[in-house]
Structure formats: C-alpha cells, structure tokens
C-alpha cells in the first residue's frame, strides 16, 4: 500500500493522514444528484472527484464500499424548508408521475457518468426507498428530546442539541448568533420553536404530490435526513469519508452531523471532503443562474458559450488538471489546451501497449534516464497522496510520456532502462492513466480495420510516389481526428494533437 495518503478534512480544516477505522475497508458516502433535471458540468466535477478518490483508494489497496445516493424526494425548490418539491414541481408541469421524472433523470445521470468513465458506486440507494429508516430515525430523535412535532411536521431542536454539546455550525464554521440574525425575518417559521430548527418531516399541503403516511401526518421527509439514514444503514454509525460539493457544507452536511449524533450518539464521519465549484466567468455554474451547460451540449458543441465540441475524455482531463479544492473556471481556451494534452497522453497510451522489450547486449544502461523514470513513478504517488494533487501527478505522467515517445521513435532502446524499469513503465503508465485518472483512448468513429487498411494504402501510394492520393489519405485521417505519423522506422497513425 502506497502510504501515507493525506486528505484535507473540512472538519479539522487541515490535511490529515488517512487512517481508516477498519482497514483495509473504507466506507465512503457521497451525496448524489437530485434527479429533477439533467446533471450539468458543475455537478459532474464533484462526482468525478469522488470517482477519482474511489479509484485511487482501490488502486492503493483499500476495499472501498462507495455509497452514492439518489435524492428523489424532500429537496425543495430554493433548498429551503417550505414550498414545492423539486421533483414534484416538474411532475406537475409535465403531467407525469414524480417517479417518471426520477427515472428519466436517473437514467440520464447513469448515461453521463458512463460517458465520463466513472465507476458505478457499490450501493446507490434512493431516499424514497428508505422511508422506514427515516421515520425510525425521527422517532429516535423525538424520544431523545432532540426533535418535536408541530402541526404534523417534525423539527430538529437545535437548542436542545447544543445543550448536549452538539456544536451546530462546527463543520461550516457558522456562528449561531449570525445564523439567527440571517433567518429571523423569514416567513413560514411559526411552527418552529427556534428559527434555526430544521425539518425532519413535513406535513404535505393538499397540492403536494409526494406523500407518505407517518405517525405525525401524511407528508414527506426533510432533505437532510435521507443521507443520515442511508449512510448509517450501509456504512455503519461511524464511517471514513463523506463527500459532496462545497455548497452542501451548510446546511445539508451540518444537519447530517446533528441528526447522526442525535440518533447514534457518535460523531458519524472521520473525514469530510468538499469539492470546490466549477465556475463560468467567475460565477458558480448552476441551473438556477442559467449559466450551466449539459454534457450533451459539450459533446456536440451546441451551446452559445462553446466554440467547438469537446469529447468526454478532454473534459475529464480538463477537470483533473486543477486541484479539487480550487475553483475551476470554464473557458474554451482551457478546454482546447486540455484537448491537446489529453491527445498527447492518449497517443502514449496507444503506443505503449505495442512496445516490447528487446534485450540488447551492446546497449549500456542509461542510469540517469532509468532513475528519472523511477522518480516519476514515485512523484505520481507523492502528488496523489498529497490530497489528490492531480495537477502535479499529471506533470509526472508527461515526464513518463517523454520516455515512452523516445522508445517509440527509436531514440531510446528499451534495454537502456533495463527490463524491470521498462516493464514498470508499461504497467504503471497504463494503470495511472486508465485505472486511477480514468483517461482512456477515445476510438475514432471508423473502425480499426478501416484505419489500418487506409494506412496500408498510404504505404503503397508512397512507394508509388502518388502524392495526390497520399494527400487524400491524409485528409481522410484528419476528418477522423487522426494523423499519420510517417517516421523513418515505421508508418503509424496517432490521435491528432
Ligand atoms: P444537486 O443535484 O444540486 O444536489 O448537486 C449534486 C452535486 O453537485 C452536489 O454535491 C453539489 O454540491 C455539486 N455541485 C453543484 N453545482 C456545482 C458546481 N458548479 N461545481 C461543482 N459542484 C457542484
Ligand atoms: Zn446528502
């Protein structure tokens, strides 16, 4: 196991050595999408970050149970405590069952995560599938005096919780008095004893579509409760990692801590991880701000902000080039640069699989190069261990790529780095890219057979010095996003960089 991995913990506000509660098992919970619309690129940045962490933890030897939920009830329009359910609202507008909306956007979410080469979580539970657990949790909180019923709704009692040293606000750094000032004048809080109390169960207004029976009323669960119920059910009362976007720190995750401590009596999460936002012209990408675009629009280039189409792997590479705790601003320039960078790596991936070791007694070991390659392996791990510093990890991959290309171009004999280092170069370069960063080759639309046939024609025309035909074949490769590499020792194709 490549230790020590350090992760930035939002709760302690520092990087900490990652030590799972029960190694080699790791429990990781990530708040999933609210399935009332297509996921936008901002949402995907967050999910991609946790896909990366899931992959890296697995790569270094942990056995990860990765739970990512589907929020299909309770998340209200405006993220507040009153009003319409996000899913219910769309269902009404479209005159469909709420579950038809849920299914449509869950399917889309899966299609998109597949496109970006994200792994499926180990468990993908939904909020509506865990109403019994949520109702049981509320009963427990009422029994412990940490929640109260009011007019058929149930609220979490922040004052009682804090009397028991709950420290509500400790994750997000919010101060109770400031919070009180912010919320004092808001409407709809007459049912609450304290304006900061948050809903665990809400009585459904007559027009509210999504409703279930409970001991208190026919209603629906509050948004924060589902994650507490599902994380406890699948990962236990205490688990290793809980993640989400930064905007979930407050109130969602703050409330989760309060609920879980209230119900289970222990601090639920060892490491809280939060990703920073994808922005457009410095503003958070968000559906409500109207500055978001969808993966499908990126792939086709059909959005006014996009100067061209970008492939899923280009976008993934673009995201990986920045650290997950920094904001990342969308720009065509950055994406075009990412396209070049990704294609260079993809070409490395393609050629390294074809390279073979050739013993050569007359070739001396080039110690400097051999050591530089070995250092780059370690540099990759060091960067990933430093709170997933992908930007630095990628730099070490480019250093390895330099050697891959030298071997491919016949400028460096495999024997000059020795068989062991050569084998490691092959396995590590592929595994860092494909298993950890999940950057894979994006095959051209035409099949491999057509491409090699065209390449054979190119060779023939070249021998016959038919330059016009050669140009036509070059044009064909270009139309496929490919290029011909006409080298002294061989003729090959590559992704056009
Ligand atoms: P939602 O479906 O709105 O609950 O969001 C799903 C996830 O995407 C949450 O973890 C959010 O924090 C995250 N998210 C929303 N907007 C952005 C953004 N612009 N950049 C990064 N993550 C985001
Ligand atoms: Zn959640």
């Amino acid at each position: 196991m490549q230790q020590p991995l350090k992760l930035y913990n939002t709760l302690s506000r520092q990087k900490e050595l990652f030590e799972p509660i029960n190694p080699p098992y790791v429990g990781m919970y990530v708040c999933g999408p609210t399935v009332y619309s297509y996921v936008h690129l901002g949402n995907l940045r967050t999910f991609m970050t946790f896909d990366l962490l899931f992959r890296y933890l697995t790569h270094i030897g942990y056995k990860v149970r990765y739970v990512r939920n589907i929020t299909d009830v309770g998340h209200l329009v405006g993220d507040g405590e009153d009003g319409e359910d996000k899913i219910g609202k769309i269902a009404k507008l479209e005159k469909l069952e709420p579950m038809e909306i849920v299914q449509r956007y869950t399917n889309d979410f899966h299609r998109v995560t597949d496109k970006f080469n994200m792994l499926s979580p180990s468990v993908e539970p939904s909020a509506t599938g865990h109403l019994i657990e949520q109702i049981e949790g509320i009963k427990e909180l009422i029994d412990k005096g940490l929640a109260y019923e009011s007019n058929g709704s149930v609220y979490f009692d922040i004052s009682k919780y804090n009397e028991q040293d709950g420290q509500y606000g400790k994750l997000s750094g919010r101060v109770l008095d400031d919070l009180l000032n912010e919320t004092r004048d808001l409407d709809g809080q007459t049912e609450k004893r304290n304006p900061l109390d948050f809903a665990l169960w809400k009585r459904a207004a007559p027009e509210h579509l999504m409703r279930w029976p409970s001991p208190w009323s026919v209603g629906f669960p509050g948004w924060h409760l589902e994650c507490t119920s599902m994380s406890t059910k699948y990962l236990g009362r205490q688990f290793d990692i809980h993640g989400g976007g930064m905007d979930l720190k407050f109130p969602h995750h703050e409330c989760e801590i309060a609920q879980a401590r209230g119900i289970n009596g222990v601090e639920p999460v060892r490491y809280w991880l939060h990703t920073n936002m994808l922005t457009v012209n410095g503003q958070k990408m968000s559906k409500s701000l109207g500055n978001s675009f969808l993966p499908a629009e990126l792939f086709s280039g059909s959005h006014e902000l996009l100067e061209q189409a970008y492939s899923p792997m280009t976008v993934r590479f673009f995201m990986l080039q920045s650290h997950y705790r920094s904001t990342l601003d969308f720009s065509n320039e950055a994406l075009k640069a990412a396209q070049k960078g990704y294609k260079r790596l993809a070409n490395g991936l393609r050629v390294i699989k074809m390279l073979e070791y050739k013993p050569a007694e007359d070739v001396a070991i080039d110690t400097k190069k051999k050591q530089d390659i070995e250092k780059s392996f370690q540099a990759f791990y060091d960067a990933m261990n430093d709170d997933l510093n992908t930007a630095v990890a990628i730099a070490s991959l480019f250093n390895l790529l330099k050697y891959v290309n030298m071997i491919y171009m016949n400028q460096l004999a495999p024997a000059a780095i020795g068989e062991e280092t050569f084998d490691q170069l092959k396995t590590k370069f592929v595994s860092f890219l494909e298993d950890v960063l999940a950057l894979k080759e994006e095959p051209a639309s035409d099949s491999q057979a057509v491409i090699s046939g065209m390449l054979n024609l190119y060779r023939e025309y070249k021998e016959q010095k038919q330059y016009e035909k050669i140009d036509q074949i070059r044009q064909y490769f270009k139309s496929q996003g490919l290029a011909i590499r006409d080298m002294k020792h061989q003729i090959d194709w590559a992704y056009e960089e």
Side-chain angles (χ1 to χ4, degrees):
M1 212 171 274
Q2 297 284 335
Q3 289 283 16
L5 167 62
K6 283 190 170 175
L7 294 172
Y8 183 87
N9 188 351
T10 312
L11 197 56
S12 66
R13 288 158 181 74
Q14 59 189 6
K15 283 185 204 168
E16 286 178 33
L17 191 64
F18 178 65
E19 290 174 302
I21 297 164
N22 184 22
Y25 301 98
V26 173
M28 173 160 109
Y29 187 94
V30 172
C31 293
T34 306
V35 280
Y36 74 109
S37 65
Y38 295 112
V39 279
H40 60 64
L41 205 63
N43 304 134
L44 284 160
R45 182 183 190 202
T46 290
F47 296 126
M48 221 178 272
T49 299
F50 291 103
D51 179 64
L52 174 79
L53 180 57
F54 178 35
R55 285 169 171 279
Y56 187 60
L57 288 169
T58 309
H59 178 80
I60 60 178
Y62 290 114
K63 308 227 172 304
V64 188
R65 184 180 295 166
Y66 171 26
V67 183
R68 188 186 64 205
N69 71 295
I70 295 287
T71 294
D72 57 357
V73 68
H75 198 172
L76 304 186
V77 175
D79 299 346
E81 294 273 296
D82 289 289
E84 279 190 281
D85 187 289
K86 289 189 180 189
I87 291 157
K89 182 180 170 184
I90 306 288
K92 261 189 216 161
L93 278 174
E94 298 199 20
K95 298 195 170 47
L96 291 173
E97 270 295 314
M99 280 302 135
E100 286 183 277
I101 303 296
V102 165
Q103 194 64 54
R104 179 201 294 162
Y105 294 114
T106 304
N107 290 348
D108 171 71
F109 178 58
H110 290 155
R111 267 194 296 271
V112 169
T113 49
D114 279 354
K115 277 252 181 227
F116 283 109
N117 202 15
M118 293 187 213
L119 297 173
S120 301
S122 329
V123 188
E124 193 173 48
S126 70
T128 55
H130 296 77
L131 281 154
I132 292 174
E133 289 81 352
Q134 294 179 72
I135 289 172
E136 287 305 308
I138 298 172
K139 285 186 194 159
E140 192 95 20
L141 289 170
I142 294 176
D143 286 350
K144 290 181 172 156
L146 287 168
Y148 57 89
E149 188 201 335
S150 173
N151 196 24
S153 294
V154 183
Y155 294 96
F156 188 92
D157 193 329
I158 295 284
S159 310
K160 286 272 167 54
Y161 175 63
N162 275 342
E163 278 167 23
Q164 299 176 12
D165 196 26
Q167 298 171 25
Y168 185 77
K170 68 177 175 179
L171 178 74
S172 53
R174 304 283 178 115
V175 178
L176 276 190
D177 285 344
D178 295 350
L179 282 172
L180 269 174
N181 286 335
E182 283 169 28
T183 50
R184 191 154 286 153
D185 295 322
L186 293 182
D187 294 338
Q189 293 176 339
T190 44
E191 288 178 354
K192 298 184 190 179
R193 290 182 190 161
N194 179 329
L196 290 185
D197 294 350
F198 59 89
L200 299 166
W201 188 264
K202 289 288 285 184
R203 187 162 76 139
E207 66 279 9
H208 201 100
L209 286 180
M210 305 182 81
R211 45 174 65 226
W212 292 265
S214 79
W216 313 287
S217 63
V218 173
F220 57 93
W223 168 37
H224 315 304
L225 186 58
E226 54 171 285
C227 291
T228 299
S229 301
M230 294 186 279
S231 59
T232 309
K233 176 158 179 164
Y234 298 108
L235 298 174
R237 299 183 319 152
Q238 284 189 301
F239 57 95
D240 300 298
I241 298 171
H242 192 317
M246 264 195 13
D247 55 346
L248 295 187
K249 264 195 248 178
F250 186 88
H252 187 56
H253 291 161
E254 200 73 69
C255 296
E256 271 192 53
I257 294 179
Q259 293 163 158
R261 286 179 54 134
I263 296 169
N264 299 320
V266 284
E267 190 66 34
V269 176
R270 285 287 305 273
Y271 306 89
W272 279 96
L273 263 64
H274 289 99
T275 55
N276 213 325
M277 297 289 110
L278 180 74
T279 57
V280 183
N281 296 324
Q283 222 183 11
K284 174 188 165 187
M285 180 179 282
S286 129
K287 189 164 183 259
S288 53
L289 292 173
N291 65 353
S292 63
F293 40 79
L294 308 176
E297 292 170 327
L298 263 173
F299 306 153
S300 63
S302 59
H303 187 285
E304 56 179 2
L305 282 170
L306 300 170
E307 287 170 15
Q308 61 165 79
Y310 301 99
S311 74
M313 288 297 108
T314 294
V315 178
R316 183 155 185 135
F317 184 73
F318 161 71
M319 305 253 194
L320 289 169
Q321 276 179 310
S322 76
H323 188 252
Y324 75 90
R325 281 192 294 114
S326 317
T327 53
L328 171 62
D329 201 47
F330 165 85
S331 80
N332 281 284
E333 288 63 43
L335 268 162
K336 283 181 205 163
Q339 179 170 309
K340 273 201 161 56
Y342 156 68
K343 294 232 172 139
R344 285 175 60 203
L345 287 171
N347 276 324
L349 207 47
R350 198 181 88 75
V351 303
I352 200 165
K353 290 177 185 165
M354 300 187 294
L355 297 181
E356 274 172 29
Y357 187 74
K358 288 183 214 90
E361 276 171 16
D362 53 334
V363 174
I365 294 282
D366 187 331
T367 316
K368 217 171 135 205
K369 289 197 174 70
K370 183 174 167 359
Q371 282 177 352
D372 191 39
I373 292 172
E374 284 158 7
K375 261 195 225 150
S376 294
F377 299 150
Q378 193 52 47
F380 181 88
Y381 284 115
D382 289 347
M384 291 300 288
N385 284 340
D386 183 16
D387 194 29
L388 306 182
N389 195 334
T390 43
V392 174
I394 285 172
S396 68
L397 272 176
F398 274 106
N399 200 40
L400 291 175
L401 176 68
K402 190 176 78 189
Y403 294 104
V404 172
N405 284 336
M406 283 166 83
I407 298 172
Y408 173 64
M409 303 282 201
N410 260 0
Q411 293 161 356
L412 177 69
I417 56 171
E419 187 161 8
E420 198 185 330
T421 305
F422 176 85
D423 286 346
Q424 283 196 351
L425 180 61
K426 264 189 94 143
T427 49
K428 288 203 190 317
F429 189 79
V430 174
S431 151
F432 290 168
L433 270 168
E434 290 186 345
D435 302 339
V436 179
L437 303 181
L439 292 168
K440 59 176 184 183
E441 287 182 67
E442 283 175 329
S445 53
D446 275 4
S447 76
Q448 192 67 37
V450 176
I451 291 171
S452 27
M454 294 296 273
L455 211 56
N456 280 337
L457 272 180
Y458 177 91
R459 290 187 187 106
E460 276 176 33
Y461 290 141
K462 201 178 160 198
E463 268 174 28
Q464 298 160 6
K465 299 199 168 44
Q466 296 211 45
Y467 295 115
E468 211 172 300
K469 291 266 186 346
I470 286 180
D471 265 357
Q472 282 170 2
I473 294 185
R474 280 194 190 279
Q475 282 307 320
Y476 162 78
F477 274 82
K478 208 172 164 54
S479 73
Q480 300 297 308
L482 307 175
I484 290 179
R485 271 186 178 171
D486 196 337
M487 297 169 284
K488 263 198 208 125
H489 66 297
Q490 65 164 322
I491 294 171
D492 196 6
W493 65 270
Y495 301 104
E496 193 175 28
E497 290 170 9

